[in-house]
Amino acid sequence: MGIEGPSGSVTKGRRRVSEVDPVGAGDGPGTVETPGSVVEVRTSASASLIPTIRAVASDLAARADFDLDAISDLRMAVDEACATLVDVAAPGSSLRCTFDVREELIRVHAEVDTGDAATPVSTDTFGWRVLQTLADEVELEANGSGTVGIRLHKRADAAPR
Amino acid sequence: MHVLVVDGEVDTLTAPTLGEALGALLEQEPTDAVAAVDLDGVGFLASSGLAVLIRAAHRAEAQGRALHLLGGSRAVTRPLEVTGSDRLFTLLPGLDELLGRVHGDRSTGRVRRPD
Amino acid sequence: MSAADSEYGHLTPLLAEYAGLDEDDPRREALRDRLVTGFLPIAQHIARRFAHRGEPLDDLVQVATVGLINAVDRYSPEKGTDFFSFAVPTISGEVRRHFRDQGWSMRVPRRLKDMHVSINAAVSDLSQRLGRAPRPSEIAEQLGVPVAEVLEGLEASEAYRSSSLDEMLSSEQGSATVGELVGAADAELDRVDHRQALRPVLGELAERERTIVMLRFFGNMTQTQIAEQVGISQMHVSRLLAQTLDRLRSRLDPDTRTG
């Protein structure tokens, strides 16, 4: 799948202040992502860049030692959230996706600018229903201020279905 | 028997292509009882991909036949299970099992005659 | 299949004879050779279809012949299907598997391929034992390797299945390609994005219809279960479901959409 258009940026930084992981994280080179890390991915709001974002989600979950189903679920949930947002994004705007890697939990916040002619995000779709099933918690943020966001949590152990 | 082979990632970009191919698959000889989609090479299946598969399953059902899905990678089975849509399809591990089921697999299903 | 019938017609009785032999019958081997030699043009034809992908034709014919042997071994004439509709997918399936493995081997080092195999075994073992999907750390412990290697192996497995859909979409029936199939069925096909299309349609359904559709298709309930839940008869559920689906279908079909 080709990746085109203006390139996105991936930035990673330590969480502020006392969010440092109390347990022994990082028991070897390249093993487990330190809990308390924040990873932010910004791309143009284009469906062609979603594969990149979901790959980041999948990689973070694997490094945070999520079980394989939970990794799969997070990848799909992030894909779904991003696809939903790209649909309503203003032309030429960007998609901002933040991953907050905690102990046994990843919090994701994705957001786009909708411009003036805001198309409302409907939660009456198959996609939204799937998103609710995949994520442990999901919330739509539409406050009419020209941006729409989706916030979701995924725990490291997938709930048995 | 027709088998549609799908490789790659099925998401919002590629689902329409899959939808077209499924439409074409189900256009073929609707009297044929078996229509199958080999998803063994699929590394990602988004809800948009699930939606086209579900529609195809219903169309096949309306034609009086079952849509078989082949391939058992987690990327495919997990979305099907999580959404409960696995029940709409006949799921088989691969082409070999489909052929075995349709034609009788002599290497495994053979009954030896007593001498 | 009439051209094929005349060309291969003399083999049909042999297929029946072969299928009727016991596995340890001494005549099996000679008969199998005759069948494989007789049907070899099919394997060669399928191999040629894949020849533009940069693999030597001889190699492809060899792989296709393995598929043909499998087809000859597994075919049961009493099931009523002709040999071709059984052999063609079997043979091209073999060739495709070859390409996927080949392409993957070129990109992935030997060490990771081995790791991929070990991981798969560990995953199914652990899934059974734990009753859930394992974590990378659990796989690493089971295999006695560092987590980093497991992560690398998992990534490689993903690469195995991530080639472009457009490139690889193909159909296994005779020599028809998806391009041809799609061309023939063009008028029927929807080119709309379902996300976009379903949204307004589901939104405009009455509460009860929406509930029924949701329960049936996304909640996996039977019509009878839905009838109980919603408090109407199963027949009524069936009728509402059919009406609703018609409506969804016509809305999703660009040709009948009134806009």
Side-chain angles (χ1 to χ4, degrees), chain A residues 12-29:
Chain A
K12 182 184 166 189
R14 293 288 303 177
R15 262 191 86 75
R16 288 161 313 201
V17 292
S18 57
E19 289 280 56
V20 184
D21 152 44
V23 197
D27 47 316

Side-chain angles (χ1 to χ4, degrees), chain C residues 156-175:
Chain C
S157 312
E158 214 159 274
Y160 182 60
R161 292 190 164 89
S162 59
S163 45
S164 152
L165 182 76
D166 288 330
E167 243 173 70
M168 301 292 284
L169 207 57
S170 62
S171 171
E172 310 282 322
Q173 172 72 16
S175 57

Side-chain angles (χ1 to χ4, degrees), chain A residues 65-68 80 87 104 126, chain C residues 133-137 195 218:
Chain A
D65 206 27
F66 277 37
D67 77 44
L68 299 190
E80 193 59 51
D87 269 356
E104 298 287 293
F126 179 43
Chain C
R135 296 171 180 238
S137 63
R195 185 187 311 284
F218 311 141

Side-chain angles (χ1 to χ4, degrees), chain A residues 26-91:
Chain A
D27 47 316
T31 51
V32 175
E33 191 70 28
T34 313
S37 297
V38 176
V39 174
E40 191 180 312
V41 184
R42 192 161 68 89
T43 69
S44 22
S46 153
S48 65
L49 289 165
I50 297 175
T52 306
I53 300 173
R54 67 180 184 239
V56 170
S58 174
D59 188 69
L60 288 173
R63 288 175 192 283
D65 206 27
F66 277 37
D67 77 44
L68 299 190
D69 278 343
I71 296 171
S72 200
D73 290 357
L74 181 70
R75 184 157 73 124
M76 218 181 144
V78 166
D79 178 84
E80 193 59 51
C82 291
T84 305
L85 292 174
V86 162
D87 269 356
V88 298

Side-chain angles (χ1 to χ4, degrees), chain A residues 126, chain B residues 18 22 25-26 35-39 45-61 65-71 76-77 79-93 98 101, chain C residues 216-218 220:
Chain A
F126 179 43
Chain B
L18 177 61
L22 284 168
L25 175 76
L26 295 177
V37 187
D38 185 344
L39 297 170
L45 182 61
S47 77
S48 41
L50 275 177
V52 295
L53 284 172
I54 290 170
R55 288 188 60 216
H58 289 301
R59 195 168 156 206
E61 198 185 2
R65 55 179 171 173
L67 190 62
H68 292 67
L69 299 187
L70 316 178
V76 169
T77 54
L80 289 171
E81 280 165 16
V82 166
T83 57
S85 40
D86 49 344
R87 302 195 188 178
L88 296 172
F89 308 94
T90 307
L91 297 173
L92 294 171
L98 176 70
R101 176 180 274 227
Chain C
R216 177 69 184 88
F217 299 123
F218 311 141
N220 257 318

